Amino acid sequence: MDNTGYIKLHRNILESEIFNSADILQMWIWCLCKASYKDRKALIGNSAVDLKAGQFVCGGKVGSVMFNTSESTFHRRMKTLEELGCISLNATNKFTIVSVNNWCEYQATPPDCSDKVRGSKQYGLGYHRGKNEAVKEIREQIEELKGELDNLLNESED
């Protein structure tokens, strides 16, 4: 795999639950760096595996060596990222295909991806941006409703 290039990391990660754990943050950044930036084939043993943009192949032994931890700790941390909606894991008896949810939405430039690797949840690096916009919209709606309620109350008093 080509180790050149960069990943996008939004400043809102500082507000993320991922940021509160150095181990999980390290693993999240590792996943972003390991993910393929385009569709490709990977040779695993004697088998070719088709990977989409935002996916990579991982095994517990290699991961545990990479993070200098036990396989069970490595798997537990990967499961935490999955529970947070950052990644999806597709395990076989030989390896696991890790998919970074919303890869194309937050990492790729428009020609690189269409709807290839998207998670069902709106998590990932842009999660807080979308969340903040939704909160702002809800607050605006509440203010409008308060105004309408005040008008109705004033009309009923007259």
Side-chain angles (χ1 to χ4, degrees):
M1 185 172 107
D2 184 10
N3 284 328
T4 60
Y6 61 92
I7 58 167
K8 297 175 187 175
L9 190 63
H10 198 280
R11 285 183 175 91
N12 283 337
I13 197 167
L14 297 172
E15 301 166 13
S16 168
E17 52 276 306
I18 292 171
F19 192 76
N20 295 328
S21 169
D23 296 329
I24 300 299
L25 178 63
Q26 180 186 29
M27 189 165 281
W28 172 236
I29 293 172
W30 177 75
C31 288
L32 292 173
C33 291
K34 290 287 291 179
S36 179
Y37 67 94
K38 63 181 180 179
D39 293 358
R40 67 181 184 92
K41 286 191 184 284
L43 190 61
I44 308 300
N46 293 325
S47 302
V49 177
D50 289 321
L51 295 176
K52 296 177 182 172
Q55 293 182 322
F56 66 98
V57 176
C58 177
K61 289 180 183 175
V62 172
S64 65
V65 169
M66 174 68 192
F67 290 98
N68 194 26
T69 188
S70 67
E71 283 188 54
S72 62
T73 299
F74 174 77
H75 285 292
R76 190 172 54 252
R77 290 176 184 164
M78 291 295 279
K79 284 303 237 182
T80 299
L81 284 174
E82 184 177 41
E83 290 167 5
L84 290 171
C86 299
I87 62 173
S88 298
L89 302 172
N90 184 9
T92 69
N93 61 347
K94 296 180 182 178
F95 56 85
T96 299
I97 295 178
V98 179
S99 300
V100 175
N101 293 342
N102 300 314
W103 173 266
C104 293
E105 190 170 340
Y106 300 117
Q107 292 295 321
T109 54
D112 293 339
C113 302
S114 55
D115 291 331
K116 294 176 185 171
V117 180
R118 291 188 185 251
S120 60
K121 298 179 182 177
Q122 288 299 315
Y123 291 114
L125 295 179
Y127 169 70
H128 291 288
R129 178 185 55 201
K131 179 180 172 184
N132 289 341
E133 289 171 2
V135 168
K136 181 180 176 183
E137 184 177 323
I138 290 169
R139 285 184 179 150
E140 289 172 358
Q141 291 173 353
I142 289 171
E143 290 303 316
E144 287 177 25
L145 290 172
K146 283 181 182 177
E148 290 177 24
L149 184 60
D150 286 341
N151 288 340
L152 289 172
L153 289 172
N154 289 336
E155 288 175 8
S156 67
E157 290 176 0
D158 292 336

